[in-house]
Amino acid sequence: MNDRYTKTAILLHWLIALGIFTMFGLGWFMSELPKEALAQMSYDLFNMGIYTWDLAKEASPRAFYFNLHKSIGVTVLVFILLRVLWRIGHKPPELPAGIKAWESKLSKATHHFLYLLMFAMPLSGLVMAVSSKYGVKWFGTKLIPGINSETLRDVFHEVHEIVGITLILIIVLHIAGALKHKIIDKNDIMKRMLP
Ligand code: HEM
Ligand code: HEM
């Protein structure tokens, strides 16, 4: 019986969740960086003493972390696109008997909203970056040149922030739902998405 998610769905779910959490951390971290700082050739990633990244050309901390944010973001966007395409052709497993109608409705609505927001988040970032004078590079390779429109950049910066706050709220609701099933209802919903 088809009572759990497939390996592909599980792999994509956790890969994208990890990517999105990393992107939030990186986004907040990089926006705090000072605008005036010396360019460097090598970076101790997040100053954690774990991994040092040597660059071919020196870059300021803001430029380095902004480019990293865009590069990982474009990669996550590709995985999200794959996931949405894959999902269109595959129905999720039926919910087990005993789930109340309101729970089923709320979980379906949350999942649809999550798909919409997790797509809108990198897309708004991409449009913002293309509107700026810098454009988008993918780990050093030029991908899309910037069109240098300050108005468009400001609009999509705002969109990126609002979508971000909404996404966090929905992710919190989603995690609360998963934990409710595990801790309060003690059913197997959580297991459906675990390897
Ligand atoms: C960025 C974070 C996350 C996003 C964007 C996300 C997104 C989604 C989406 C869209 C689905 C529906 C899959 C489908 O039917 O096609 C789903 C299912 C699920 N997620 Fe997440 N998720 C995230 C994080 C988490 C976390 C941290 C947990 C656990 C605490 C979790 C637990 C689950 C479970 C258990 C399901 C299956 C629900 C069911 O069987 O109906 N997710 N997730
Ligand atoms: C899952 C994907 C993404 C997440 C969760 C995310 C999250 C964030 C967060 C939390 C910030 C800080 C917001 C603030 O200014 O307070 C930010 C800023 C930014 N993001 Fe993203 N982002 C994502 C994808 C992207 C992509 C794909 C691009 C471009 C290709 C991008 C470009 C930017 C830029 C340029 C800023 C800096 C705006 C500024 O301060 O001038 N983001 N992002």
Side-chain angles (χ1 to χ4, degrees):
M1 202 181 83
N2 180 22
D3 61 355
R4 49 184 284 118
Y5 284 91
T6 61
K7 285 199 183 90
T8 316
I10 295 173
L11 182 71
L12 284 170
H13 175 271
W14 292 109
L15 201 66
I16 292 168
L18 180 71
I20 290 179
F21 288 131
T22 308
M23 287 297 288
F24 272 113
L26 193 49
W28 289 320
F29 174 84
M30 70 185 198
S31 17
E32 298 297 313
L33 292 169
K35 289 219 162 104
E36 290 82 25
L38 284 180
Q40 301 165 213
M41 285 295 282
S42 70
Y43 279 89
D44 171 9
L45 216 53
F46 305 117
N47 307 322
M48 291 201 296
I50 299 174
Y51 181 70
T52 303
W53 195 321
D54 293 311
L55 304 177
K57 218 167 78 184
E58 57 176 20
S60 73
R62 262 179 98 84
F64 172 73
Y65 285 106
F66 270 53
N67 277 321
L68 187 61
H69 182 84
K70 294 182 207 172
S71 304
I72 299 178
V74 168
T75 316
V76 176
L77 174 61
V78 171
F79 282 113
I80 292 170
L81 274 172
L82 279 177
R83 179 170 182 193
V84 171
L85 287 177
W86 188 89
R87 175 66 169 75
I88 290 169
H90 297 79
K91 273 182 106 174
E94 290 294 327
L95 284 167
I99 297 286
K100 295 177 200 78
W102 71 266
E103 288 180 306
S104 160
K105 270 193 197 136
L106 182 62
S107 97
K108 280 194 183 121
T110 308
H111 292 168
H112 284 136
F113 207 24
L114 278 171
Y115 276 118
L116 181 77
L117 293 170
M118 76 168 124
F119 187 59
M121 194 62 199
L123 200 66
S124 58
L126 190 74
V127 178
M128 177 200 343
V130 173
S131 314
S132 77
K133 59 177 184 248
Y134 303 107
V136 182
K137 277 191 254 165
W138 190 76
F139 297 105
T141 308
K142 283 206 178 94
L143 213 59
I144 317 176
I147 58 167
N148 197 6
S149 158
E150 214 164 291
T151 324
L152 209 58
R153 195 201 75 96
D154 288 349
V155 169
F156 279 92
H157 188 187
E158 205 65 31
V159 174
H160 201 55
E161 263 180 24
I162 295 168
V163 173
I165 293 165
T166 321
L167 179 56
I168 291 181
L169 294 176
I170 302 299
I171 290 174
V172 169
L173 177 66
H174 178 62
I175 296 176
L179 294 180
K180 173 194 177 279
H181 287 300
K182 175 134 187 71
I183 298 166
I184 300 175
D185 301 338
K186 297 192 171 42
N187 61 28
D188 285 341
I189 296 284
M190 192 75 183
K191 279 197 195 135
R192 289 150 55 97
M193 199 41 113
L194 292 178

